[in-house]
C-alpha cells in the first residue's frame, strides 16, 4: 500500500490504530479455515465516525476493505482475498451501550463478544439465546454478518430473529439506520434484513439493537440411544410434531460416537447407530418432566433402546460431553476434515443421511456426521489425508454431491457458517442465474465500486 495512504490513516486514527508491519499482517491473514490471504494494512476504528471516514477515503481511492470480527468463521468471510485493508472492530468498538429493561432490548457495538453479552443480560434476568459454538470468542457483529445459529436454534431461532435495528456505514461513507426499537415496523424496505448475513459485502455494521427475552428458570437434559441413524432422524421431527419444542436436539452418528469414545473413553454405546441429546427448559420442574415424558414416548416409538434423564448439572454436562467434543474427536479418521453445515427440512433428515451414506461408499471416504437436528442442520465431515492431493480432490467431489443431494431435498448450502470463499463455487447449485444476478444488483446498489469484501458469496 502506498505510504500516502498509511500516512492518512495514521493522521486520522493515530499510530496505535494503524499497522502494516509483518506481525499484524500475518495475525490478520487467516480465519478458522486456516487459509491465508495477507492484507496490506490493519486498521482499528475507534467509533462510527472513524468507520465513515475510512470508507469514504477508501471508496475515493478504490482501496479494498474487509470487515473483521474475531476471525472465527469457517468459510473465509473475513479473509482479505484481494489484499487491501482489514477493518478490525475488536479493539475499540466492543462495548455494550445499553440494556433497556423496560423494552427488553440491548444495544451493542459490533466487537462485543457473544458470551459477554449473554452473561451480562442474564445477570439481570434476561436472555439472549443465539449461541454459536464460537460464543466465547465470536463477536456480535460477526454473528449478524453471518446470521449465526447455535444449539438453541431449535426453539429460539437464530441471530436474525433477535436483530431489531442496525446502524451501518455504506461504502461511500454515509451512515444509515435500518430498523427500529419497536416490535412492529413495516415502513420501507427491510434494509436490516438485507444486511444480516451479507458477510460484510454491503456495509460495515457499527451498532446493533437486539431483542431480549425473559430467561427460563431451569432446564434438563436427556439422551436417547438408537439402533440406526434413520430411526434417530425420524424421532427428531416426530418429537416436534408431538407438541414439544426442545431448546436443543443434537445428534451423533456411529462414527462420531466411536471417535469420542476412542479419544475420551466415556462409556458411550459404541454399537449404537446414533444418539440424540436434548435439552428442555421452563419455569417449573413439572414443565420439564411433562416435556421429557413426551420426548421419551416419541423416541420409544421410533426405536429408542435407552433413554437417560440427567438428574444434576454434572450429569447434564456428561451427557453433553460427546456432542461438544465430537469435532475434535473425528480427526482419528483423517488429518483434514472438509466440514459443511448443510440444512434441510426436518422431515428430510432421514433421506439426507441416507444420501450422505451413499456418497461415502461411492467415493470410499469416511463421513462422520453430527449436528443440530432440531433445526435440520447437519455437520458433515468428509475426512481425508490433507497431504494427499488426490484424496483432497476426491473429498471435494464428495462434498459437491452432498450439496446436490441437499438442494434436491429442499435444503440449503449453509445453515450457520455462511458462503464466504469456500462455498462460493457451489452457489450455482442452489440459485438460478436470475437469482444470482439479483444478488449482484443488490451488491452494486450498495457498493458500486466493489470495495467491500469482494469475491465473497460468488459475487
Amino acid at each position: 500500500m502506498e505510504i500516502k495512504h498509511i500516512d492518512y490513516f495514521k493522521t486520522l486514527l493515530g499510530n496505535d490504530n494503524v499497522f502494516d508491519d509483518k506481525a499484524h499482517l500475518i495475525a490478520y491473514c487467516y480465519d478458522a479455515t486456516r487459509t491465508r490471504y495477507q492484507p496490506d494494512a490493519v486498521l482499528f476504528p475507534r467509533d462510527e465516525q472513524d468507520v465513515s471516514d475510512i470508507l469514504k477515503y477508501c471508496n475515493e481511492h478504490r482501496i479494498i476493505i474487509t470487515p473483521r470480527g474475531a476471525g472465527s468463521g469457517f468459510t473465509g468471510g473475513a479473509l482479505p482475498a484481494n489484499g487491501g485493508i482489514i477493518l478490525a472492530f475488536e479493539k475499540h468498538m466492543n462495548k455494550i451501550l445499553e440494556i433497556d429493561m423496560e423494552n427488553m432490548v440491548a444495544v451493542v457495538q459490533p466487537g462485543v463478544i457473544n458470551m459477554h453479552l449473554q452473561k451480562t443480560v442474564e445477570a439481570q434476568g434476561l436472555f439472549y439465546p443465539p449461541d454459536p459454538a464460537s460464543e466465547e470468542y465470536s463477536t456480535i457483529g460477526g454473528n449478524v454478518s453471518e446470521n449465526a445459529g447455535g444449539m438453541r436454534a431449535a426453539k429460539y431461532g437464530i441471530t436474525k430473529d433477535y436483530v431489531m435495528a442496525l446502524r451501518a456505514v455504506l461504502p461511500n461513507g454515509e451512515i444509515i439506520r435500518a430498523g427500529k426499537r419497536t416490535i412492529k415496523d413495516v415502513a420501507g424496505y427491510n434494509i436490516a434484513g438485507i444486511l444480516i448475513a451479507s458477510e460484510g459485502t454491503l456495509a460495515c455494521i457499527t451498532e446493533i439493537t437486539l431483542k431480549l427475552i425473559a430467561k427460563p428458570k431451569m432446564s434438563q437434559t436427556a439422551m436417547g440411544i438408537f439402533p440406526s441413524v434413520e430411526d434417530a432422524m425420524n424421532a427428531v421431527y416426530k418429537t416436534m410434531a408431538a407438541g414439544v419444542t426442545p431448546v436443543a436436539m443434537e445428534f451423533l452418528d456411529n462414527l462420531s460416537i466411536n471417535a469420542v469414545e476412542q479419544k475420551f473413553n466415556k462409556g458411550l454405546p459404541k454399537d449404537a447407530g446414533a444418539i440424540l441429546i436434548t435439552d428442555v427448559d421452563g419455569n417449573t420442574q413439572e414443565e420439564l418432566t411433562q416435556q421429557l415424558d413426551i420426548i421419551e414416548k416419541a423416541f420409544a416409538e421410533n426405536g429408542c433402546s435407552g433413554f437417560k434423564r440427567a438428574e444434576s448439572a454434572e450429569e447434564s454436562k456428561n451427557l453433553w460431553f460427546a456432542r461438544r467434543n465430537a469435532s475434535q474427536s473425528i480427526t482419528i479418521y483423517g488429518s483434514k476434515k472438509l466440514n459443511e453445515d448443510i440444512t434441510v427440512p426436518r422431515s428430510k433428515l432421514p433421506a439426507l443421511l441416507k444420501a450422505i451414506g451413499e456418497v461415502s461408499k461411492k467415493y470410499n471416504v469416511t463421513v462422520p456426521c453430527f449436528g443440530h437436528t432440531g433445526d435440520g442442520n447437519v455437520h458433515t465431515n468428509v475426512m481425508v489425508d490433507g497431504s494427499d492431493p488426490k484424496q483432497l480432490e476426491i473429498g471435494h467431489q464428495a462434498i459437491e454431491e452432498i450439496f446436490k443431494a441437499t438442494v434436491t431435498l429442499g435444503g440449503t448450502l449453509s445453515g450457520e457458517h455462511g458462503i464466504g470463499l469456500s462455498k462460493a463455487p457451489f452457489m450455482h447449485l442452489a440459485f438460478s442465474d436470475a437469482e444470482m444476478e439479483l444478488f449482484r444488483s443488490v451488491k452494486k446498489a450498495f457498493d458500486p465500486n466493489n470495495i467491500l469484501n469482494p469475491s465473497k458469496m460468488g459475487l
Side-chain angles (χ1 to χ4, degrees):
M1 179 171 288
E2 294 181 45
I3 190 65
K4 67 176 183 180
H5 299 316
I6 297 296
D7 288 343
Y8 169 81
F9 293 129
K10 286 184 176 180
T11 300
L12 176 67
L13 304 174
N15 291 344
D16 291 341
N17 294 310
V18 179
F19 296 93
D20 61 349
D21 59 291
K22 196 69 173 177
H24 276 83
L25 300 188
I26 292 174
Y28 286 84
C29 79
Y30 63 92
D31 64 359
T33 66
R34 295 297 185 259
T35 305
R36 294 173 180 261
Y37 291 94
Q38 190 161 295
D40 299 311
V42 180
L43 307 185
F44 297 96
R46 297 162 298 182
D47 53 33
E48 185 179 75
Q49 189 57 52
D50 279 352
V51 178
S52 175
D53 292 339
I54 292 166
L55 264 64
K56 182 178 180 181
Y57 183 87
C58 289
N59 194 51
E60 291 172 353
H61 293 85
R62 305 299 191 266
I63 299 171
I64 290 171
I65 294 176
T66 302
R68 179 184 170 103
S72 58
F74 280 106
T75 58
L79 293 178
N82 297 280
I85 287 170
I86 285 284
L87 199 61
F89 292 94
E90 82 269 19
K91 184 177 180 180
H92 298 295
M93 298 183 68
N94 57 8
K95 301 172 185 65
I96 298 174
L97 301 175
E98 180 185 0
I99 298 176
D100 179 349
M101 296 292 292
E102 292 180 346
N103 293 301
M104 301 175 71
V105 162
V107 182
V108 305
Q109 292 181 315
V112 169
I113 301 299
N114 179 295
M115 180 59 78
H116 176 53
L117 175 63
Q118 288 189 51
K119 289 181 176 180
T120 300
V121 301
E122 285 178 19
Q124 300 190 42
L126 298 176
F127 187 31
Y128 178 68
D131 62 334
S134 57
E135 63 187 355
E136 294 186 358
Y137 45 88
S138 67
T139 64
I140 296 297
N143 293 170
V144 172
S145 296
E146 298 288 348
N147 197 15
M151 291 191 184
R152 295 194 287 242
K155 180 172 184 177
Y156 290 111
I158 58 179
T159 301
K160 70 177 177 64
D161 300 307
Y162 295 87
V163 176
M164 300 179 74
L166 302 169
R167 289 179 66 92
V169 180
L170 298 176
N172 65 5
E174 292 182 1
I175 298 170
I176 64 168
R177 295 173 300 153
K180 294 288 187 295
R181 191 189 299 209
T182 57
I183 295 172
K184 295 179 179 178
D185 175 20
V186 296
Y189 289 120
N190 184 8
I191 300 301
I194 293 174
L195 294 179
I196 296 167
S198 64
E199 302 191 16
T201 62
L202 303 180
C204 287
I205 296 169
T206 54
E207 184 180 290
I208 305 138
T209 301
L210 297 165
K211 177 180 72 174
L212 306 174
I213 62 176
K215 181 172 174 55
K217 291 183 172 61
M218 56 185 66
S219 64
Q220 191 170 357
T221 303
M223 182 178 76
I225 302 169
F226 293 84
S228 72
V229 72
E230 290 81 8
D231 289 330
M233 296 304 100
N234 281 319
V236 170
Y237 75 86
K238 290 181 179 178
T239 296
M240 302 293 190
V244 175
T245 303
V247 175
M249 180 76 81
E250 301 286 308
F251 95 106
L252 284 80
D253 69 359
N254 178 264
L255 289 168
S256 301
I257 294 167
N258 278 273
V260 174
E261 185 61 16
Q262 181 173 323
K263 192 173 182 69
F264 295 104
N265 193 29
K266 299 293 287 187
L268 295 172
K270 295 172 66 173
D271 58 345
I275 58 175
L276 289 177
I277 306 165
T278 187
D279 262 1
V280 295
D281 66 5
N283 294 317
T284 66
Q285 184 59 49
E286 288 75 17
E287 286 182 68
L288 305 187
T289 299
Q290 182 182 34
Q291 292 179 72
L292 289 177
D293 286 347
I294 294 172
I295 292 173
E296 183 173 9
K297 182 174 184 292
F299 277 21
E301 290 172 350
N302 288 279
C304 180
S305 59
F307 188 83
K308 178 174 177 57
R309 304 185 191 205
E311 300 299 341
S312 67
E314 186 63 25
E315 286 189 12
S316 175
K317 182 179 178 180
N318 287 336
L319 291 181
W320 275 110
F321 183 91
R323 174 62 185 89
R324 296 193 187 283
N325 289 278
S327 184
Q328 63 166 303
S329 300
I330 60 174
T331 53
I332 67 169
Y333 298 119
S335 61
K336 175 79 172 177
K337 63 177 178 179
L338 305 177
N339 170 31
E340 302 299 342
D341 64 320
I342 53 178
T343 304
V344 295
R346 285 189 295 254
S347 65
K348 300 296 184 182
L349 284 168
L352 175 64
L353 270 295
K354 181 181 179 182
I356 292 170
E358 291 170 353
V359 170
S360 174
K361 291 178 182 178
K362 177 179 178 180
Y363 290 95
N364 193 29
V365 289
T366 302
V367 189
C369 296
F370 53 85
H372 321 299
T373 47
D375 53 41
N377 185 194
V378 175
H379 292 292
T380 61
N381 304 272
V382 176
M383 307 302 297
V384 296
D385 179 353
S387 64
D388 185 340
K390 183 63 176 177
Q391 277 203 29
L392 282 169
E393 181 183 351
I394 291 171
H396 285 294
Q397 290 172 358
I399 288 292
E400 182 165 4
E401 287 217 21
I402 290 171
F403 281 150
K404 288 178 179 178
T406 301
V407 173
T408 298
L409 292 169
T412 178
L413 302 178
S414 176
E416 294 183 321
H417 299 162
I419 300 299
L421 289 172
S422 61
K423 294 187 183 182
F426 305 106
M427 286 286 276
H428 70 281
L429 297 177
F431 299 100
S432 68
D433 290 343
E435 290 162 344
M436 288 300 300
E437 188 56 38
L438 181 59
F439 293 160
R440 294 186 187 100
S441 297
V442 172
K443 166 71 169 167
K444 189 171 184 179
F446 277 85
D447 183 18
N449 294 322
N450 199 29
I451 67 160
L452 262 185
N453 217 8
S455 304
K456 308 298 166 63
M457 302 170 68
L459 304 178

